[in-house]
């Protein structure tokens, strides 16, 4: 259970002194002294009971007794609680704070025990405590109140209600029981019928009236009963709890008399289900006291309460402009304060006693949380940042801190307007919880951020030692790695001790050595993280070799060629003694690596199929560093244009032409020739419409890659039939594998949709069928050559004008 922050408000009736309660009635001595006690078990025959009188020392009496065992057991049946805890079934605290009153002690009556293991007798255990109160003499008009709080844990036995586990609070005067001050608490059940038990006896069946129990404040615990001796078919989740409730009664009518208060918790009558209850009593008997904020907060609902009077009705009044936002016939009300001050009054009446009281109230302004400032930047480790809260209205309850802005930790520092954050290692946000009086809501200030930077790490320079040649301005690079922070600048030194910054500053992790004149030079980088001290990297020693660095001009450094073409790579070596190509794929060098003199110019020829780089390494004797330069040859992909196979149309039939390419690209342009009959000669998909004056036409088309100017070409032949749309089939074919007239194919002309072509033998057997124009019969059936003779064919199609045509005929197979 979470730790809760309770704020206690105790206000006395004006002009009425706090009445002294009987000694130790609230168990403030931590023992049962002044109380009497008893334990017993009604499942013995006859029932037994053990009494522990007040005035007698423990263990036979209650003087000095902190606990008393269950009857005939070594299990505690009555225990005084001097420290707080949490009930295992109900989750409520074992010593309560109720209606603003902080109880310091409580007593628990009972346990979860239901069986005497030594004797096997069912555990119908009873436990009770009593206090005989000598009510002070005086006027009956002056209240003398006893206020107690109780909480219960009852195991449902599904018995008749009167036989269920039970808790009693009884008050007796010399004239008998005071009914309006006494109460009985148990779990309600409902009769549902009878069943035959295992012995053939009829048993009554009762079930828990859960809705009525919940209306009385009970709830079912998720914790299972520790006992496995429930009724047949009964589950283990059967423990019900009722949290702390406060009750008061007035003994003023019995002034000068003795009144006995008794609390008792009993297991069920059959003895198989347990009961235990907590009891706590106030140590003030001077009448009602209203608990609640004075002053209240102007924008915050407030709660005012009194201990409940058994079976009482209540009447409340509040100052003008204040509003009661809850029901009023209860011992607890919720109020929205107005702008002015005044008095809150309450009267409680249960027929046998009437109590009333009041408290003065006023209004305070709401909480203003304010702002924590300033923001700081520090380096991890030893650091200190003093933060202050400004602009607040209210007191600081505590400071809180967070590393992620989501999860916050209490760091204390209550009532202080400043906080010193020291020795931080992670970035942290700081806020305060502020409250302007106990009635106002707690609010959270805006946060200040202390940004913590990791320590700077200079890193390592690679290579640590390097030689360069005269006038070397390429491939003389130093690389910084392993740093933490940003590069502020690079530095140079002649002695590795005294360093000079570059101006302008160089902030990259790669440093190119240029124009070094000294024989030996050292280089390093300076790195910094935030506000942390800057750190220098390791240094690199650079030695100058007194030999010229190779020098050359390459052209073009980058070039683009069409697929299948060749790029000319030109190199002019101005300083050097030899050269070497690093990639020979698709490369031809007629110069054959010869370098007769300098300057010297030669050409190489590259014909790669894909994008390729060609590094060339040029050396100069005596200089350990070659000059490596690179030609990059970009190759445009092949176009491979096609408009499909040659085709047939009838005169006047529109023919959709379409160029396809290996790669779809918006960077292509198109040209068809000749252009007559085309809807356009510069698009990839023109429509050709040809008349009967033309027998055939061959269209040649060009596709140009506009990026590199690459052009590829192809053609398609269109034959024009001077007939109506039809399907033509030869009257003979010779499937003898001479690649001439080997397949019987229908020739659809002017056809939009080709449905089928079928071939039958003279017996009417279907031996071939297709729905694909351009396919035909090869003279076989299931791989077996068919005999010479005449065969029948049938074709079906739809013309481009939408007309359905069916054609039949014969064909002679000749071998």
């Amino acid at each position: 259970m979470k730790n809760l922050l309770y704020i206690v408000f105790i206000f006395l009736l004006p002009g009425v002194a706090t009445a002294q309660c009987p000694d130790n009635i609230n168990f403030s001595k931590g023992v049962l002294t002044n109380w009497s006690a008893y334990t017993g078990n009604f499942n013995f025959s006859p029932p037994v009971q053990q009494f522990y009188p007040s005035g007698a020392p423990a263990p036979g009496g209650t003087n000095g007794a902190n606990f008393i065992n269950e009857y005939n057991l070594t299990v505690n049946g009555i225990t005084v609680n001097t420290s707080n805890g949490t009930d295992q079934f109900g989750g409520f605290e074992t010593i309560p704070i109720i209606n603003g009153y902080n109880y310091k002690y409580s007593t628990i009556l009972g346990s979860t025990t239901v069986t005497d293991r030594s004797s096997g007798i069912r555990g119908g255990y009873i436990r009770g405590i009593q206090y005989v109160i000598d009510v002070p003499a005086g006027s009956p008009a002056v209240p003398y109140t006893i206020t107690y709080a109780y909480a219960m844990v009852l195991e449902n036995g599904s018995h008749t209600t009167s036989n269920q586990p039970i808790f009693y609070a009884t008050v007796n005067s010399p004239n008998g029981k005071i009914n309006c001050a006494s109460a009985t608490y148990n779990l309600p059940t409902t009769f549902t019928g009878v069943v035959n038990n295992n012995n053939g006896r009829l048993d009554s069946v009762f079930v828990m009236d859960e809705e009525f129990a919940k209306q009385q404040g009970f709830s079912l615990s998720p914790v299972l009963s520790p006992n496995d001796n429930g009724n047949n078919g009964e589950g283990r989740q059967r423990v019900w709890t009722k949290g702390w409730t406060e009750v008061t009664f007035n003994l003023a009518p019995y002034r000068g008399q003795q009144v006995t208060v008794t609390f008792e918790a009993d297991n069920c009558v059959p003895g198989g289900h347990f009961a235990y209850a907590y009891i706590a009593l106030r140590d003030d008997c001077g009448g009602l006291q209203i608990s609640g904020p004075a002053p209240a907060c102007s924008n915050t609902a407030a709660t005012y309460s009194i201990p409940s009077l058994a079976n009482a009705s209540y009447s409340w009044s509040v100052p003008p402009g204040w509003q009661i936002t809850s029901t009023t016939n209860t011992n607890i009300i919720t109020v929205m304060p107005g702008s002015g001050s005044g008095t809150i009054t309450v009267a409680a009446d249960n027929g046998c006693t009437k109590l009333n009281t009041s408290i003065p109230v006023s209004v305070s302004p709401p909480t203003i949380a304010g702002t924590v400032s300033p923001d700081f930047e520090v380096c991890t480790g030893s650091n200190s940042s003093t933060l202050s809260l400004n602009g607040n209205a209210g007191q600081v309850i505590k400071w809180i801190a967070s590393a992620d802005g989501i999860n916050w930790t209490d760091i204390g520092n209550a009532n202080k307007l400043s906080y010193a954050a020291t020795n931080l290692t992670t970035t942290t946000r700081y806020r305060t919880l502020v409250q302007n009086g106990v009635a106002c809501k707690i609010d959270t200030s805006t946060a200040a951020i202390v940004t913590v930077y990791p320590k700077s790490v200079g890193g390592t320079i690679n290579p640590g030692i390097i030689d360069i040649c005269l006038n070397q301005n390429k491939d003389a690079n130093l690389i910084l790695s392993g740093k933490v922070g940003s590069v502020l600048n690079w530095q140079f030194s002649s002695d590795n001790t005294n360093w000079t910054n570059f101006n302008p500053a160089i902030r990259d992790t790669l440093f190119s050595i240029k124009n070094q004149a000294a024989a030996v030079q050292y280089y390093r980088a300076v790195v910094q993280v935030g506000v942390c001290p800057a750190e220098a990297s390791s240094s690199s020693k650079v030695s100058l070799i007194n030999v010229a660095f190779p020098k050359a001009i390459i052209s073009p450094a980058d070039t683009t060629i069409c697929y299948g073409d060749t790029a000319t790579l030109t190199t002019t070596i101005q300083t050097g003694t030899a050269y070497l190509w690093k990639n020979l794929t698709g490369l031809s060098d007629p110069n054959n690596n010869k370098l007769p003199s300098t300057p010297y110019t030669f050409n190489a020829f590259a014909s790669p199929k894909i994008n390729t780089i060609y590094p060339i390494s040029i050396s100069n004797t005596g200089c350990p560093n070659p000059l490596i330069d690179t030609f990059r040859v970009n190759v445009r992909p092949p176009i491979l244009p096609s408009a499909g196979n040659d085709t047939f149309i009838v005169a006047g039939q529109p023919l959709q032409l379409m160029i396809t390419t290996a790669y779809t690209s918006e960077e292509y342009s198109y040209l068809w020739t000749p252009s007559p009959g085309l809807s356009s000669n510069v698009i990839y998909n023109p429509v050709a419409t040809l008349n009967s004056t033309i027998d055939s036409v061959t269209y040649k088309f060009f596709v140009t890659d506009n990026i590199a100017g690459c052009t590829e070409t192809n053609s398609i032949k269109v034959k024009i039939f001077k007939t109506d749309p039809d399907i033509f089939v030869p009257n003979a074919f010779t499937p003898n594998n001479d690649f001439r007239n080997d397949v019987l194919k229908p020739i659809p002309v002017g056809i939009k949709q080709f449905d089928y072509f079928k071939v039958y033998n003279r017996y009417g057997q279907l031996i071939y069928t297709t729905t694909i124009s351009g396919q035909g019969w090869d003279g076989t059936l299931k791989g077996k050559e068919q005999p010479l003779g005449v065969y029948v064919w049938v074709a079906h199609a739809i013309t481009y004008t939408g007309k359905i045509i069916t054609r039949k005929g014969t064909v002679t197979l000749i071998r």
Side-chain angles (χ1 to χ4, degrees):
M1 183 176 182
K2 294 181 178 178
N3 293 326
L4 301 179
L5 173 63
Y6 292 98
I7 303 175
V8 180
F9 311 99
I10 300 297
F11 304 96
L12 303 180
L13 283 88
V16 178
T18 301
Q20 182 67 41
C21 284
D23 184 44
N24 198 41
I25 197 169
N26 64 339
F27 313 110
S28 58
K29 295 183 178 180
V31 292
L32 291 169
T33 300
N34 297 109
W35 290 79
S36 60
Y38 56 92
T39 61
N41 189 334
F42 52 68
N43 270 324
F44 281 91
S45 182
V48 294
Q49 205 165 20
Q50 174 71 44
F51 291 94
Y52 299 86
S54 63
T62 60
N63 280 7
N66 179 263
F67 67 91
I68 295 175
N69 287 336
E70 296 276 24
Y71 182 80
N72 204 34
L73 296 177
T74 57
V75 177
N76 286 9
I78 303 172
T79 306
V80 178
N81 295 319
T82 58
S83 60
N84 206 353
T86 302
D87 181 78
Q88 62 174 321
F89 295 102
F92 50 78
E93 294 184 323
T94 56
I95 300 176
I97 298 176
I98 305 176
N99 297 330
Y101 183 83
N102 189 357
Y103 289 84
K104 300 293 177 52
Y105 307 89
S106 69
T107 291
I108 181 172
L109 304 178
S111 67
T112 60
T113 302
V114 294
T115 302
D116 182 346
R117 301 292 180 182
S118 62
S119 65
I121 296 175
R122 296 287 291 275
Y125 295 107
I126 60 175
R127 321 84 170 168
I129 55 174
Q130 291 181 332
Y131 200 108
V132 178
I133 301 173
D134 292 313
V135 183
S139 169
V142 178
Y144 189 80
T145 55
I146 299 296
T147 300
Y148 70 92
Y150 68 92
M152 292 180 291
V153 178
L154 305 178
E155 184 181 15
N156 174 32
S158 297
H159 309 304
T160 180
T161 300
S162 60
N163 288 345
Q164 286 276 76
I166 196 167
F167 168 63
Y168 300 95
T170 307
V171 183
N172 287 286
S173 73
N175 298 323
K177 182 179 179 181
I178 305 174
N179 289 321
C180 64
S182 303
T184 299
Y185 309 96
N186 55 9
L187 297 175
T189 57
T190 301
F191 174 72
T192 60
V194 295
V195 296
N196 286 318
N197 68 8
N198 294 334
N199 297 322
R201 187 182 66 194
L202 293 177
D203 285 341
S204 297
V205 177
F206 295 86
V207 297
M208 177 83 171
D209 188 341
E210 294 188 4
E211 290 304 316
F212 186 44
K214 291 176 182 178
Q215 292 174 13
Q216 293 179 316
F218 285 97
S219 60
L220 179 63
S221 174
V223 180
L224 303 182
S225 170
N227 304 312
D228 59 3
N229 59 337
N231 299 322
N232 288 337
E234 184 177 69
R236 297 283 287 273
Q237 189 180 3
R238 57 177 182 263
V239 180
W240 289 73
T241 67
K242 182 177 182 180
W244 286 99
T245 305
E246 197 173 44
V247 176
T248 191
F249 52 89
N250 185 21
L251 297 181
Y254 306 95
R255 286 193 175 274
Q257 304 179 44
Q258 285 189 332
V259 173
T260 302
V261 177
T262 304
F263 301 105
E264 181 178 319
D266 299 346
N267 288 3
C268 68
V269 169
H273 301 87
F274 67 81
Y276 66 84
Y278 295 90
I279 302 297
L281 289 97
R282 291 199 183 202
D283 61 356
D284 175 29
C285 299
L288 290 182
Q289 297 178 23
I290 298 177
S291 299
C297 195
S298 63
N299 66 345
T300 305
T303 299
Y304 296 89
S305 62
I306 58 172
S308 62
L309 186 65
N311 302 314
S313 60
Y314 302 88
S315 177
W316 291 83
S317 66
V318 296
W322 293 45
Q323 181 182 4
I324 300 176
T325 59
S326 63
T327 58
T328 57
N329 190 23
T330 177
N331 67 309
I332 303 173
I333 63 169
T334 302
V335 172
M336 182 58 69
S339 59
S341 59
T343 302
I344 295 179
T345 63
V346 62
D349 188 351
N350 66 355
C352 63
T353 187
K354 183 174 183 179
L355 298 171
N356 58 75
T357 187
S358 64
I359 59 169
V361 291
S362 59
V363 181
S364 63
T367 300
I368 299 175
T371 301
V372 175
S373 61
D375 294 338
F376 283 96
E377 293 182 333
V378 299
C379 191
T380 186
S382 178
N383 53 69
S384 180
S385 305
T386 300
L387 307 168
S388 299
L389 175 65
N390 302 285
N392 62 299
Q395 283 192 322
V396 174
I397 295 175
K398 59 184 175 181
W399 286 68
I400 55 178
S402 172
D404 57 11
I406 299 172
N407 303 292
W408 294 84
T409 302
D410 181 359
I411 56 175
N413 207 41
N415 300 322
K416 294 183 180 180
L417 296 177
S418 62
Y419 177 80
T422 59
N423 302 328
L424 298 181
T425 57
T426 58
T427 296
T428 307
R429 294 162 175 82
Y430 293 91
R431 307 170 77 173
T432 59
L433 300 184
V434 179
Q435 187 178 32
N436 191 27
V438 293
C440 291
K441 292 180 180 178
I442 298 173
D443 200 359
T444 308
S445 72
T446 58
I449 301 178
V450 180
T451 302
V452 181
Y453 293 101
K455 291 183 178 180
S456 306
V457 176
T460 303
I461 302 293
N462 288 302
I465 299 176
I466 182 174
D467 294 332
I468 64 172
C469 303
L470 288 175
N471 303 317
Q472 182 172 345
N473 57 7
K474 191 176 187 299
D475 300 329
N477 297 324
L478 303 179
I479 298 176
L480 173 63
S481 62
K483 72 176 180 65
V484 177
S486 301
V487 177
L488 295 182
N489 202 351
W490 285 73
Q491 298 177 329
F492 60 92
S493 171
S494 60
D495 58 6
N496 206 22
T497 301
N498 301 294
W499 294 91
T500 302
N501 289 321
F502 281 93
N503 187 15
I506 300 172
R507 303 184 185 277
D508 296 331
T509 55
L510 184 145
F511 174 75
S512 295
I513 305 168
K514 295 180 181 180
N515 304 318
Q516 177 174 314
V520 175
Q521 192 92 289
Y522 297 89
Y523 299 91
R524 71 179 186 181
V526 178
V527 178
Q528 184 176 33
V529 179
V531 297
C532 293
E535 292 290 332
S537 70
S538 65
S539 63
S540 177
K541 179 182 179 181
V542 180
S543 299
L544 181 63
I545 305 298
N546 193 25
V547 177
F549 185 68
K551 185 177 180 181
I553 300 173
I554 66 171
S555 178
D558 292 286
T559 188
T560 300
I561 62 173
C562 300
Y563 185 83
D565 284 354
T566 298
T568 300
L569 310 181
T570 301
T571 304
T572 298
I573 300 178
Q574 298 167 313
T575 302
T577 56
Y579 73 92
L580 180 68
W581 292 99
K582 298 293 188 179
N583 181 9
L584 297 177
T585 303
L587 184 71
S588 171
D589 181 4
N591 190 61
N592 198 23
N593 295 327
K594 296 177 181 178
L595 187 57
S597 61
T598 56
Y600 184 73
T601 300
F602 61 93
N603 293 326
F605 304 96
S607 302
K609 302 300 183 183
I610 59 175
N611 295 344
T612 305
I613 60 172
Y614 293 96
I616 184 171
S617 177
I618 302 169
S619 60
N620 191 30
T621 302
C623 176
N625 304 326
L627 166 64
I628 298 176
D629 217 335
T630 302
F631 294 91
R632 180 180 298 273
V633 180
N634 300 310
V635 181
R636 297 297 293 171
I639 300 174
L640 303 179
S642 172
N645 297 327
D646 295 345
T647 189
F648 307 93
I649 61 172
V650 295
Q653 176 190 352
L655 174 63
Q656 177 68 68
L657 300 172
M658 183 175 296
I659 300 173
T660 61
T661 56
Y663 300 92
T664 301
S665 175
E666 295 180 357
E667 298 161 348
Y668 290 162
S669 60
Y670 307 89
L671 178 65
W672 294 78
T673 185
S675 60
L678 297 179
S679 60
S680 173
N681 71 332
V682 291
I683 61 175
Y684 76 97
N685 58 345
V687 175
T689 306
L690 304 171
N691 57 38
S692 59
T693 63
I694 302 174
D695 294 327
S696 67
V697 61
T698 299
Y699 286 111
K700 192 173 185 180
F701 47 88
F702 302 85
V703 181
T704 300
D705 178 351
N706 296 329
I707 297 298
C710 307
T711 299
E712 294 184 27
T713 185
N714 206 336
S715 64
I716 181 172
K717 183 178 181 180
V718 181
K719 184 175 181 180
I720 297 91
F721 282 73
K722 299 172 184 180
T723 65
D724 290 333
D726 209 338
I727 302 173
F728 299 96
V729 179
N731 55 15
F733 78 111
T734 58
N736 53 10
N737 297 321
D738 62 356
F739 302 104
R740 297 179 60 189
N741 203 22
D742 286 342
V743 178
L744 178 66
K745 296 180 182 179
I747 303 173
V749 180
I751 299 302
K752 176 179 68 175
Q753 176 180 313
F754 183 79
D755 293 328
Y756 60 80
F757 173 69
K758 299 181 180 181
V759 180
Y760 299 86
N761 63 18
R762 62 181 178 171
Y763 304 108
Q765 178 186 9
L766 178 66
I767 59 176
Y768 178 75
T769 183
T770 183
T771 60
I772 302 174
S773 177
Q775 289 187 357
W777 182 42
D778 64 357
T780 65
L781 175 63
K782 298 182 180 179
K784 183 178 180 180
E785 292 184 350
Q786 295 301 292
L788 305 178
V790 177
Y791 293 82
V792 177
W793 60 264
V794 180
H796 189 277
I798 301 174
T799 71
Y800 78 91
T801 61
K803 181 181 177 181
I804 298 175
I805 61 172
T806 302
R807 296 289 183 264
K808 298 180 180 179
T810 61
V811 62
T812 301
L813 189 157
I814 301 172
R815 295 189 185 278

